[in-house]
Structure formats: C-alpha cells, structure tokens
Amino acid sequence: MSSAESLERLEVALTPQQRFEEYLQSRGQRQTKPRKFLVETIFAQHAHFDADELIEKLPRKGNSDYVSPATVYRSLREFVDAGLLNSFQLDGRTVYELDYGYPEHDHLYCTRCRKLIEFRSESLMDIRDNVAAEHGFRVTGHRLIVHGICRDCAGSRRTKRKQDLV
C-alpha cells in the first residue's frame, strides 16, 4: 500500500510506547519485547499498511527481533484497542493507520493503484456536526473514504488507450 501523504502530528503528552504501556498496565498485562519492537517499527514512519505488509518488513525467523505472525495480528488488535492505530476495511483487507498523535482526517482512495491520500476539511466537519445536531446526535468520530481514480492513474490511462489517441 502506498504511504500516506503527511499530516502534521499533534502534540501529545506520552510517546506511543508510553501510551501502550499505560494501556497494558490498566489491563494487568506487561510489555513484551515483540510488542515494544512492533510499536517502534509502526511509528517509525507514517504509512497505511495491512498485517501482511507489516510482516513482510519484519525480520525473518531466526533473526533478532523476529515477531511471529500470530503475535503481529494479536498486537495490531491491541494497538487499535489502545488508541494507537485506526483500522478499516478496504478491498476486503484490514488496513491500519496511525491514530495516536494525528488529527482526525479522511481519505481519497485510488481503485487502480491503491494509493490512499489523506486530507482534512473543516467544511466537511461543519457539515457533519450540523447534521448530527439536527438529529440530536453526539459525534464520537467518523470515517470517510472517497473511491475513485487518482490524477496519476487518470493521466497515464488517457495516453495509452488507442481511442484516446485518435
């Protein structure tokens, strides 16, 4: 999956590692070396990914810092529960993105190249809040993914089709 366009990070009181340790302590669990390594790896860059893409980037069995696929899947669920990551379904896959330390935002999704483009829109937030207020609804969050064709894919297709060259 293509990496996300950069959103400005928000100032937060705890590091992602500290936030996760606080989450684990509240549940009577302890931090493990594989979980710690996964938090560091995931928060090292701002990108959308699925579990298989993450596993592909991790050290192989027999190397130091190896994390089993089962631990990756279990930890990703914990990271979502802890508020570190958001997850959503896209093309039948669960896609993850950084949540902790990033502003609420939405996505444009290219159905050809699978690029996700992040954007923020105050006017969209105003519409959301106005509609919610009209219905006596308290907003706790939302997810908007607009599907279509990105500029790069739309431009490259135009020059390759014979009927477009006539």
Side-chain angles (χ1 to χ4, degrees), residues 70-92:
T71 299
V72 170
Y73 283 101
R74 186 173 45 256
S75 296
L76 287 172
R77 284 191 302 273
E78 290 174 332
F79 298 160
V80 170
D81 292 343
L84 295 178
L85 299 177
N86 274 326
S87 67
F88 53 94
Q89 294 297 309
L90 199 57
D91 291 340

Side-chain angles (χ1 to χ4, degrees), residues 2-155:
S2 299
S3 62
E5 287 194 2
S6 184
L7 289 177
E8 282 196 33
R9 292 186 77 149
L10 301 173
E11 192 170 319
V12 290
L14 302 173
T15 66
Q17 201 67 257
Q18 292 167 329
R19 168 84 181 244
F20 188 58
E21 286 175 18
E22 188 177 79
Y23 166 83
L24 290 171
Q25 287 174 357
S26 73
R27 282 155 182 70
Q29 298 176 318
R30 63 180 179 82
Q31 179 65 289
T32 62
K33 186 177 175 184
R35 286 173 170 157
K36 187 173 185 172
F37 179 72
L38 286 173
V39 170
E40 290 170 2
T41 301
I42 291 167
F43 276 83
Q45 69 179 53
H46 183 87
H48 296 97
F49 61 93
D50 65 24
D52 292 335
E53 289 168 331
L54 177 60
I55 291 167
E56 190 64 32
K57 292 178 182 178
L58 296 174
R60 300 278 178 238
K61 192 170 189 171
N63 295 323
S64 72
D65 291 326
Y66 168 74
V67 180
S68 73
T71 299
V72 170
Y73 283 101
R74 186 173 45 256
S75 296
L76 287 172
R77 284 191 302 273
E78 290 174 332
F79 298 160
V80 170
D81 292 343
L84 295 178
L85 299 177
N86 274 326
S87 67
F88 53 94
Q89 294 297 309
L90 199 57
D91 291 340
R93 303 173 316 130
T94 301
V95 176
Y96 298 91
E97 69 175 348
L98 303 182
D99 184 26
Y100 184 67
Y102 288 90
E104 188 172 29
H105 61 277
D106 296 295
H107 299 88
L108 301 172
Y109 175 66
C110 179
T111 56
R112 285 206 188 125
C113 69
R114 296 171 44 169
K115 178 169 45 176
L116 274 170
I117 301 168
E118 296 177 325
F119 71 94
R120 292 187 45 129
S121 170
E122 290 304 319
S123 56
L124 190 60
M125 296 294 198
D126 291 342
I127 291 169
R128 178 199 71 180
D129 293 342
N130 289 336
V131 169
E134 287 174 19
H135 295 278
F137 193 81
R138 185 175 62 90
V139 176
T140 58
H142 79 272
R143 163 109 19 238
L144 175 66
I145 303 174
V146 180
H147 296 252
I149 308 297
C150 72
R151 180 181 302 138
D152 293 340
C153 289

